[in-house]
mmCIF file of all heavy atoms in Angstrom:
data_model
loop_
_atom_site.group_PDB
_atom_site.id
_atom_site.type_symbol
_atom_site.label_atom_id
_atom_site.label_comp_id
_atom_site.label_asym_id
_atom_site.label_seq_id
_atom_site.Cartn_x
_atom_site.Cartn_y
_atom_site.Cartn_z
ATOM 1 N N ALA A 192 -24.570 14.669 -2.799
ATOM 2 C CA ALA A 192 -24.901 13.290 -2.997
ATOM 3 C C ALA A 192 -26.355 13.025 -2.689
ATOM 4 O O ALA A 192 -26.820 13.532 -1.646
ATOM 5 C CB ALA A 192 -24.033 12.542 -1.893
ATOM 6 N N GLY A 193 -26.980 12.548 -3.602
ATOM 7 C CA GLY A 193 -28.492 12.412 -3.526
ATOM 8 C C GLY A 193 -29.033 13.764 -3.343
ATOM 9 O O GLY A 193 -28.831 14.669 -4.044
ATOM 10 N N SER A 194 -29.958 13.863 -2.367
ATOM 11 C CA SER A 194 -30.624 15.090 -2.023
ATOM 12 C C SER A 194 -29.836 16.061 -1.164
ATOM 13 O O SER A 194 -30.197 17.150 -0.886
ATOM 14 C CB SER A 194 -31.972 14.914 -1.344
ATOM 15 O OG SER A 194 -31.756 14.192 -0.135
ATOM 16 N N LEU A 195 -28.638 15.623 -0.823
ATOM 17 C CA LEU A 195 -27.751 16.407 0.170
ATOM 18 C C LEU A 195 -26.730 17.178 -0.640
ATOM 19 O O LEU A 195 -25.974 16.503 -1.400
ATOM 20 C CB LEU A 195 -26.958 15.491 1.167
ATOM 21 C CG LEU A 195 -26.133 16.110 2.175
ATOM 22 C CD1 LEU A 195 -26.823 17.240 3.017
ATOM 23 C CD2 LEU A 195 -25.560 15.145 3.064
ATOM 24 N N SER A 196 -26.738 18.393 -0.488
ATOM 25 C CA SER A 196 -25.779 19.264 -1.186
ATOM 26 C C SER A 196 -25.439 20.526 -0.501
ATOM 27 O O SER A 196 -26.282 21.051 0.296
ATOM 28 C CB SER A 196 -26.437 19.727 -2.536
ATOM 29 O OG SER A 196 -25.422 20.580 -3.231
ATOM 30 N N GLY A 197 -24.218 21.048 -0.590
ATOM 31 C CA GLY A 197 -23.822 22.187 0.157
ATOM 32 C C GLY A 197 -22.257 22.396 0.274
ATOM 33 O O GLY A 197 -21.490 21.554 -0.458
ATOM 34 N N VAL A 198 -21.811 23.306 1.044
ATOM 35 C CA VAL A 198 -20.385 23.517 1.120
ATOM 36 C C VAL A 198 -19.814 22.695 2.228
ATOM 37 O O VAL A 198 -20.445 22.514 3.249
ATOM 38 C CB VAL A 198 -20.204 25.017 1.513
ATOM 39 C CG1 VAL A 198 -18.730 25.390 1.743
ATOM 40 C CG2 VAL A 198 -20.794 25.925 0.357
ATOM 41 N N ILE A 199 -18.661 22.131 2.002
ATOM 42 C CA ILE A 199 -17.955 21.272 2.931
ATOM 43 C C ILE A 199 -17.473 22.143 3.968
ATOM 44 O O ILE A 199 -16.554 22.998 3.762
ATOM 45 C CB ILE A 199 -16.890 20.458 2.237
ATOM 46 C CG1 ILE A 199 -17.474 19.541 1.173
ATOM 47 C CG2 ILE A 199 -16.067 19.657 3.317
ATOM 48 C CD1 ILE A 199 -16.324 18.908 0.280
ATOM 49 N N SER A 200 -17.812 21.827 5.288
ATOM 50 C CA SER A 200 -17.244 22.549 6.411
ATOM 51 C C SER A 200 -15.989 21.872 6.896
ATOM 52 O O SER A 200 -15.011 22.544 7.347
ATOM 53 C CB SER A 200 -18.297 22.913 7.430
ATOM 54 O OG SER A 200 -18.717 21.585 8.030
ATOM 55 N N THR A 201 -16.035 20.528 7.113
ATOM 56 C CA THR A 201 -14.989 19.851 7.768
ATOM 57 C C THR A 201 -14.764 18.563 6.978
ATOM 58 O O THR A 201 -15.670 17.918 6.631
ATOM 59 C CB THR A 201 -15.183 19.668 9.183
ATOM 60 O OG1 THR A 201 -15.465 20.891 9.922
ATOM 61 C CG2 THR A 201 -14.000 18.809 9.888
ATOM 62 N N LEU A 202 -13.550 18.161 6.780
ATOM 63 C CA LEU A 202 -13.229 16.772 6.260
ATOM 64 C C LEU A 202 -12.451 16.020 7.301
ATOM 65 O O LEU A 202 -11.653 16.449 7.973
ATOM 66 C CB LEU A 202 -12.347 16.977 4.950
ATOM 67 C CG LEU A 202 -12.928 17.411 3.673
ATOM 68 C CD1 LEU A 202 -11.946 17.670 2.639
ATOM 69 C CD2 LEU A 202 -13.934 16.343 3.202
ATOM 70 N N LYS A 203 -12.888 14.703 7.239
ATOM 71 C CA LYS A 203 -12.186 13.809 8.115
ATOM 72 C C LYS A 203 -11.682 12.653 7.197
ATOM 73 O O LYS A 203 -12.512 11.912 6.576
ATOM 74 C CB LYS A 203 -13.180 13.164 9.167
ATOM 75 C CG LYS A 203 -12.413 12.253 10.169
ATOM 76 C CD LYS A 203 -13.314 11.744 11.308
ATOM 77 C CE LYS A 203 -14.303 10.718 10.762
ATOM 78 N NZ LYS A 203 -15.181 10.144 11.839
#
Side-chain angles (χ1 to χ4, degrees):
Chain A
S194 59
L195 180 57
S196 178
V198 177
I199 299 169
S200 63
T201 301
L202 280 173
K203 185 178 75 176

